[in-house]
Amino acid sequence: MRIVVGIKWVPNTQAVRFDPKTGTLIRTGVPAIVNPHDLPAAELALRLRDEYGGEVIVLTMAPPPAVQGLEHILGMGADKAVLLTDRAFAGADTLATSYVIAEGIRKIEREIGKVDLAVFGQETIDSSTAHIGAQVASWLGWPYIYYVKNAKMVNGALRVERQLENAVETFDVGLPAVVSVAMKALKARPVRLSHKLRVKLEKPIIVWSNKDLGLDPRCVGLKGSPTIVSKVTYLPEVPRRKIVYKPKDPRDAARWILAQLFQDEKTREALHKALWG
Amino acid sequence: MPKVDCGKLCPEWPCEQPDEFKNVWVITEASEEGVSEASLQMLTPALEIAGKLGSKVVGVLIGYNVERHAETLIRHGADEVIVVDSEDLKEYYPEVYGQVVVDLARKYKPEVILIAATMRGREMGPYIANTLRAGITADCTDFDVDEKTRDVLLIRPPFAAIMLAYIKTPFRRPQIGTARPNVFPVPPADDTRKGEIIRETVQVRKTRTRLVSRTILKREEIPIEKAEIIVSGGKGLGGPEGFKLLEELASILGGVVAGSRKAVDAGWISHERQVGQTGKSVKPILYIAVGISGAAQHMIGVREATRIVAINIDPEAPIFNQADYGVIGDYKEIVESLIEELKKLKEAGPEAVDELIKEYTIQEAAVQQG
Ligand SMILES: Cc1cc2nc3c(=O)[nH]c(=O)nc-3n(C[C@H](O)[C@H](O)[C@H](O)COP(=O)(O)OP(=O)(O)OC[C@H]3O[C@@H](n4cnc5c(N)ncnc54)[C@H](O)[C@@H]3O)c2cc1C
Ligand SMILES: Nc1ncnc2c1ncn2[C@@H]1O[C@H](COP(=O)(O)O)[C@@H](O)[C@H]1O
């Protein structure tokens, strides 16, 4: 099977610090990484290829430095990579991003061959919208499923297991399809030196600009994005009640806590539900 | 309202003017048992937005054997309910349910669509928006309206709620957002309210997906990022047996246990249950931090907890400055007492709460307001 994995090259938000004085995020000098939630997605794709044959193509829409992210997934063992890059793609929201990704997948189908599965991470650490998987499915008209923990082929369909808030579900998904892989679902394999050497020798990275995709400039980047960020504010500290109690004895402590929680309109209902349904 | 210049729009999108759209929709999740709590909560921001726009709130109810729940939506504030009730909708598949909403939205042209950001809502929302070629904003915690342009500001907290981004879609309608469960209350029910119920039949799309099985999770298996009540333990528990006690408390509260990094590193609890910068961000209604000092890397993971209770032996522990209700003392005895008191309350019934509250009013107990 031919599997496309979408990844994003993102600032490492763990290294982004918050400056309480200015109330802004300090992003300078923050290194970029492959979005951590895309690694389980790549791992799932590689496992499926290892089991059933075929190839894994890693794809990103991004400025050129994201090649490093593609190289990381190639280093894990992906077969090919596609970089969709163009000034015209800048400033895209998720609708415009997913459009370019979907068109990239269509071009892969035209030039390389039929795609059976597109795999995405659940969300990115820099925006956490979890939009792209569903949007790509919408553009392509493919079925899709989120929060996938593992997958295997059963009678020609992809059998996936996923977990919701309160249930575990198993689906058979007819291909081609889109799946988004749950965060931390699988441990990603390490990058191997032999793969990295192959990347150096074979340069399996295809670069397509908007000229190659031939998309109307009104449909991509900022122009193709319905959403606009009109303002950003910062919340340095969450307001808390900060009521501290020194109890006479443990029973007093317990009863005091419960009295507060039952008087507090934010928690009262949850406690009622827990105790008396 | 500004006019949209069709020549500037992507030709993949239908060109429509914002003033062709009206009403605020809430897409609800319902089963035979009823409408989900998270969906009812969406009526609160919907009523607020509709109030500012001077429009109606419309509930959209999709599924099989769900029609009788339309009244529930009306009692809680919907002016109208559109019902699509079909055996073909017995099982939920995101693109199938999503397509039903798309077809309805193409017919009725809502100005705003709100969806609870449950896992299914987050799955279905972007499909609906994309198929309508509209924008969508995920996980909103607040909304506002620019009354001049009728633009809804969809407010979301990326970066663990350190930031608030105000997002609008000035030249596209509907304006679509998913909103966090447990941020908004369910509007109070009014049994005298009347509303119109509109039955719609739509061609339900076939899918290549088939549900093979569904198993309901046991309480203790619920992932911490989805739990409404969390009892979390730190280094102060002193050992793994401390977590047995916390699990007992969590079980009475219908919650789950979690831990600090030090508790995880000590091997007392699994790493999927770590809260914080290198663990998970959680959004419970109640977070009970037991024997946790309140380090910044831990607290970043609980910014979105509605209320925090801290139990710590050290009166100087930084967590007391970042919690709503703090109690100074040895956790073991306090948690044991909590379990005992909760058992007694459960037995005695909701009436016993009054007595408890009489004993402690918030003002009297506030020995140390910070
Ligand atoms: C890059 C980085 C990332 C990190 N990421 C995380 C993260 O994701 N999550 C996280 O939690 N930490 C994280 N940390 C670690 C963090 O800085 C703290 O070290 C950690 O949170 C402390 O855990 P603790 O509160 O359980 O332990 P401690 O700080 O040791 O606190 C134990 C507390 O228990 C109290 N106590 C002791 N005995 C009792 C008793 N009998 N009854 C009641 N109270 C008692 C003590 O007074 C004390 O306040 C990170 C650190 C770094 C540098
Ligand atoms: N620019 C991009 N190029 C390729 N894939 C992406 C891009 N942005 C997001 N994705 C994929 O979509 C998933 C969800 O991202 P998001 O909707 O931004 O939270 C990510 O985990 C990636 O797999």
Side-chain angles (χ1 to χ4, degrees):
Chain A
M1 60 205 301
R2 182 171 291 104
I3 307 171
V4 172
V5 185
I7 67 151
K8 191 174 179 192
W9 185 241
V10 296
N12 183 357
T13 49
Q14 262 176 36
V16 174
R17 279 169 307 117
F18 183 65
D19 183 344
K21 281 204 201 86
T22 59
T24 53
L25 297 175
I26 309 168
R27 297 186 203 225
T28 46
V30 172
I33 51 170
V34 175
N35 172 39
H37 304 311
D38 297 346
L39 297 175
E43 178 63 29
L44 182 79
L46 292 168
R47 286 189 193 181
L48 288 170
R49 179 206 60 190
D50 293 348
E51 181 76 26
Y52 306 108
E55 65 174 351
V56 170
I57 304 175
V58 54
L59 171 148
T60 191
M61 180 196 92
V67 162
Q68 296 166 70
L70 296 176
E71 283 172 355
H72 183 97
I73 309 296
L74 288 165
M76 285 169 64
D79 301 278
K80 296 188 179 86
V82 173
L83 174 68
L84 306 169
T85 191
D86 201 301
R87 284 247 167 85
F89 298 161
D93 73 357
T94 58
L95 184 89
T97 301
S98 63
Y99 180 59
V100 171
I101 293 171
E103 289 298 323
I105 291 173
R106 287 199 169 117
K107 192 170 169 71
I108 289 173
E109 295 213 290
R110 289 195 297 272
E111 310 219 333
I112 301 173
K114 194 173 152 7
V115 172
D116 302 290
L117 185 65
V119 184
F120 295 97
Q122 188 50 54
E123 58 185 52
T124 50
I125 55 171
D126 65 335
S127 70
S128 29
T129 67
H131 286 171
I132 299 289
Q135 289 171 321
V136 169
S138 156
W139 286 112
L140 296 174
W142 293 0
Y144 73 104
I145 286 287
Y146 271 20
Y147 321 115
V148 166
K149 297 186 92 165
N150 54 52
K152 62 177 181 213
M153 293 300 293
V154 174
N155 300 329
L158 191 72
R159 176 161 295 181
V160 299
E161 189 179 294
R162 64 119 161 233
Q163 189 174 323
L164 298 179
E165 287 93 345
N166 56 359
V168 175
E169 296 179 329
T170 306
F171 291 96
D172 280 348
V173 187
L175 302 181
V178 173
V179 297
S180 292
V181 179
M183 298 188 253
K184 305 202 170 166
L186 301 168
K187 197 165 154 29
R189 61 193 65 188
V191 167
R192 288 232 313 258
L193 206 61
S194 57
H195 293 313
K196 289 206 104 166
L197 272 170
R198 185 183 75 92
V199 173
K200 268 225 166 82
L201 288 171
E202 295 178 17
K203 300 203 171 25
I205 302 180
I206 305 166
V207 182
W208 285 331
S209 69
N210 197 36
K211 219 170 90 200
D212 301 307
L213 291 182
L215 307 179
D216 190 313
R218 291 170 296 181
C219 302
V220 301
L222 196 61
K223 290 198 188 108
S225 298
T227 59
I228 293 172
V229 179
S230 67
K231 176 170 91 167
V232 169
T233 61
Y234 296 88
L235 296 168
E237 209 183 308
V238 187
R240 295 277 174 207
R241 296 194 159 174
K242 302 181 189 176
I243 305 172
V244 182
Y245 185 62
K246 198 164 177 2
K248 293 196 294 282
D249 53 47
R251 180 171 178 274
D252 180 36
R255 288 181 68 79
W256 180 81
I257 292 173
L258 294 176
Q260 307 312 306
L261 297 177
F262 273 111
Q263 279 178 85
D264 186 331
E265 55 166 43
K266 298 277 187 194
T267 46
R268 184 190 300 145
E269 257 178 66
L271 282 191
H272 267 271
K273 202 170 87 186
L275 289 180
W276 303 293
Chain B
M1 238 183 292
K3 278 263 171 213
V4 171
D5 175 355
C6 294
K8 284 193 179 157
L9 279 195
C10 171
E12 295 271 341
W13 307 357
C15 183
E16 295 148 320
Q17 296 302 330
D19 60 13
E20 296 170 35
F21 293 78
K22 63 170 197 295
N23 294 341
V24 179
W25 280 18
V26 172
I27 312 300
T28 58
E29 279 180 57
S31 63
E32 293 199 23
E33 288 92 69
V35 179
S36 83
E37 174 107 2
S39 295
L40 291 177
Q41 291 169 354
M42 292 305 111
L43 289 167
T44 292
L47 285 161
E48 210 162 292
I49 294 169
K52 291 182 183 162
L53 292 174
S55 62
K56 288 189 206 162
V57 170
V58 180
V60 177
L61 192 54
I62 299 169
Y64 179 50
N65 267 341
V66 292
E67 186 176 329
R68 64 207 153 88
H69 305 311
E71 296 294 343
T72 313
L73 292 171
I74 291 168
R75 274 201 298 279
H76 286 283
D79 300 298
E80 281 172 21
V81 180
I82 301 174
V83 182
V84 182
D85 197 317
S86 160
E87 202 175 345
D88 295 338
L89 293 165
K90 210 165 173 176
E91 298 301 344
Y92 156 92
Y93 300 104
E95 74 277 15
V96 173
Y97 268 51
Q99 191 63 44
V100 172
V101 178
V102 166
D103 291 345
L104 293 174
R106 285 195 176 130
K107 175 168 176 185
Y108 290 94
K109 300 197 177 233
E111 193 168 10
V112 181
I113 299 180
L114 301 185
I115 306 168
T118 58
M119 289 175 88
R120 282 181 172 182
R122 291 186 97 212
E123 177 177 48
M124 187 172 73
Y127 184 91
I128 295 168
N130 199 83
T131 310
L132 293 168
R133 310 288 185 254
I136 174 165
T137 302
D139 291 329
C140 300
T141 50
D142 207 355
F143 299 91
D144 203 353
V145 172
D146 179 338
E147 275 154 56
K148 264 209 312 276
T149 58
R150 296 178 76 82
D151 284 335
V152 175
L153 290 165
L154 301 109
I155 305 169
R156 71 184 300 254
F159 276 106
I162 284 173
M163 235 165 104
L164 279 183
Y166 293 66
I167 293 167
K168 57 182 183 177
T169 61
F171 54 92
R172 289 302 294 163
R173 298 289 185 265
Q175 308 171 86
I176 305 177
T178 63
R180 280 271 165 78
N182 299 327
V183 169
F184 303 99
V186 174
D190 173 353
D191 292 340
T192 63
R193 272 186 60 93
K194 294 266 172 297
E196 193 186 346
I197 298 174
I198 302 162
R199 289 166 192 84
E200 274 287 343
T201 44
V202 303
Q203 187 69 40
V204 177
R205 210 226 258 185
K206 292 263 173 294
T207 176
R208 294 199 299 268
T209 309
R210 188 176 63 86
L211 178 74
V212 177
S213 69
R214 173 178 298 125
T215 344
I216 300 303
L217 281 181
K218 294 208 232 22
R219 174 201 45 87
E220 63 271 24
E221 294 168 340
I222 292 173
I224 59 170
E225 64 272 31
K226 296 294 162 198
E228 295 192 346
I229 296 184
I230 296 177
V231 183
S232 192
K235 189 72 197 302
L237 295 195
E241 55 298 329
F243 273 98
K244 291 222 181 80
L245 201 59
L246 298 200
E247 169 54 37
E248 203 180 324
L249 177 58
S251 129
I252 299 184
L253 291 171
V256 300
V257 291
S260 72
R261 173 148 135 188
K262 280 197 186 171
V264 170
D265 287 349
W268 302 343
I269 184 163
S270 79
H271 90 114
E272 287 129 38
R273 302 212 157 251
Q274 180 185 320
V275 171
Q277 187 184 318
T278 45
K280 290 175 172 173
S281 287
V282 294
K283 307 160 190 76
I285 298 172
L286 178 59
Y287 187 82
I288 305 180
V290 185
I292 292 176
S293 61
Q297 294 90 349
H298 183 81
M299 299 312 285
I300 188 103
V302 296
R303 281 178 70 97
E304 291 178 85
T306 313
R307 287 286 186 260
I308 298 177
V309 168
I311 301 172
N312 198 302
I313 204 162
D314 174 9
E316 303 298 321
I319 187 129
F320 286 129
N321 231 342
Q322 306 169 75
D324 296 289
Y325 308 112
V327 167
I328 303 164
D330 178 50
Y331 88 88
K332 197 160 174 292
E333 297 175 317
I334 295 176
V335 173
E336 277 167 0
S337 295
L338 259 176
I339 293 168
E340 198 175 313
E341 292 301 317
L342 279 165
K343 280 186 182 157
K344 276 196 238 159
L345 268 180
K346 192 178 163 86
E347 186 88 353
E351 303 74 35
V353 170
D354 297 342
E355 212 177 299
L356 177 72
I357 292 176
K358 239 183 269 156
E359 211 176 312
Y360 298 89
T361 64
I362 289 180
Q363 290 77 7
E364 276 171 21
V367 287
Q368 233 186 298
Q369 282 268 12

